[in-house]
Amino acid sequence: MTSPAPASSRRAIFLDVDGTYAHHGVVPEAHADAVRAARAAGHLVLLCTGRPVSLLPERITAAGFDGYVAGAGAYAIVGERVLLDTRFPAALAARSLDELAAAGALFLLEGPHATHAHPATVDAMAAHLPQRGEQGAGRRDLTAAITRTEDLTGVPFGKITTFHADVPVHAIAEAIGPEVAVIPSSIPDLGPGAGEIFLAHVHKAVGVAAVVEHLGLAREQVIAFGDGLNDVEMLQYAGTGVAIEGGDDAALAVADRTAAGPREAGLARAFAELGLLG
C-alpha cells in the first residue's frame, strides 16, 4: 500500500481538460490511472478548465478529483466547499445579451450548474460543430448538457462562449465594454466570431489561488498542466508550470517544462518524472 505524501512534499496538481487531460472528449486510460495513483500517494488533483462544471461529463470526471476550477477561474470548489462563484453583474449581463444579439451571435451562457442557449444555437451546434474524438463524443457531450432556453434574460452566467457571429468576437467584447476580456476559439473552422468572453479580472490563476489559500499550501507546491492561451496565468502562478507540446506559443513561453499531449498519454509520463505516483 502506498504511503501518503508528507505535508511538505504534498502537491496540488491542476489539469486543463481539452488538449491536456483529454483529447476531443476522450481521456486516455493512462491519464485516469495517473490521477488515481497521485491521489493515492497523498497529492491533490483538480481539473482546471475553461468549461463550466455543467459541461464536464462523467467520461471526463470518472477518475475522481479533489475539486474543480471551472469557467476559466470563475468557479472553484474543493470537495463540497464552494470557494468562488463569480457571475456577470446584472447590468453587464443585459448589455452583453444586447450586443450578442446585435452581432447575430450563436452563443452559450455558462454557469457552474447549468449552461443555457437558444434552441437554434443548440441545433446549429449539433449540425455544424466538428465531429471529433471517439464517435463524436465531445460534440455529443456538449450538446446534450445544454439547457435549451428561449428567453435568456436574467439567466446567471460566469462566461460566454460564441460559436458564430457576423463580426469578430473581439468586436463584440469591445462593444460590451472594458469589464470583459476575450480569447478566440481554440476550435478551428468556426470563423472570427467564435471565442470566449469573460470578466476581465477573472482567469484560471484566480481560481487556483483560491484553492491554494483554502488548503494552506504554498505556490511552490502547485503543479499545473495546460496547453492553451487561457492557461498562461495558471502556468505562471504554479511552482511548476508544464505546457503541452504543440500547445499555444504563449503557454509554452511561460512554462518550466513540457509534456507530450493526450494522444501520447503525456501526463502519465510527466507524473512519473515529477515523482507524483508514490
Side-chain angles (χ1 to χ4, degrees):
M1 181 176 178
T2 304
S3 300
S8 60
S9 61
R10 193 183 201 196
R11 296 291 181 264
I13 305 160
F14 294 85
L15 306 177
D16 170 56
V17 172
D18 299 295
T20 301
Y21 183 60
H23 178 66
H24 299 315
V26 179
V27 177
E29 190 58 35
H31 281 188
D33 288 344
V35 168
R36 297 184 188 103
R39 295 183 72 210
H43 303 296
L44 298 153
V45 187
L46 303 91
L47 291 180
C48 188
T49 176
R51 299 191 192 200
V53 174
S54 53
L55 294 185
L56 288 174
E58 195 274 338
R59 69 167 63 237
I60 299 290
T61 63
F65 293 89
D66 295 287
Y68 303 93
V69 174
Y75 184 80
I77 183 170
V78 175
E80 300 298 321
R81 177 80 176 270
V82 176
L83 307 179
L84 287 177
D85 187 357
T86 307
R87 313 288 181 97
F88 275 49
L92 181 62
R95 189 161 76 246
S96 300
L97 291 180
D98 288 343
E99 296 300 339
L100 288 161
L106 300 177
F107 60 92
L108 309 180
L109 300 181
E110 300 178 0
H113 307 300
T115 292
H116 296 262
H118 287 123
T121 296
V122 183
D123 292 341
M125 291 169 59
H128 299 297
L129 270 184
Q131 182 166 320
R132 298 185 173 96
E134 185 178 311
Q135 299 177 342
R139 184 176 72 176
R140 185 172 60 250
D141 288 338
L142 179 63
T143 55
I146 297 170
T147 301
R148 293 169 176 256
T149 307
E150 287 286 355
D151 184 4
L152 296 170
T153 305
V155 170
F157 59 91
K159 185 165 71 73
I160 303 163
T161 293
T162 61
F163 287 92
H164 167 81
D166 298 331
V167 300
V169 68
H170 289 87
I172 302 173
E174 289 173 6
I176 293 170
E179 301 97 325
V180 302
V182 63
I183 59 172
S185 176
S186 60
I187 302 174
D189 306 323
L190 295 185
E196 299 180 5
I197 300 171
F198 49 92
L199 293 168
H201 65 282
V202 173
H203 49 74
K204 287 187 178 183
V206 173
V208 172
V211 172
V212 169
E213 180 179 356
H214 171 69
L215 296 173
L217 300 176
R219 286 174 61 173
E220 290 72 23
Q221 293 173 274
V222 174
I223 302 175
F225 294 79
D227 73 312
L229 191 58
N230 69 350
D231 294 313
V232 169
E233 292 88 355
M234 174 181 72
L235 295 174
Q236 289 176 312
Y237 176 91
T240 302
V242 186
I244 303 304
E245 295 166 6
D248 191 278
D249 287 343
L252 291 163
V254 301
D256 299 299
R257 57 181 294 162
T258 63
R263 282 178 290 184
E264 294 80 36
L267 293 189
R269 180 174 178 179
F271 274 37
E273 292 174 350
L274 290 166
L276 301 174
L277 302 182

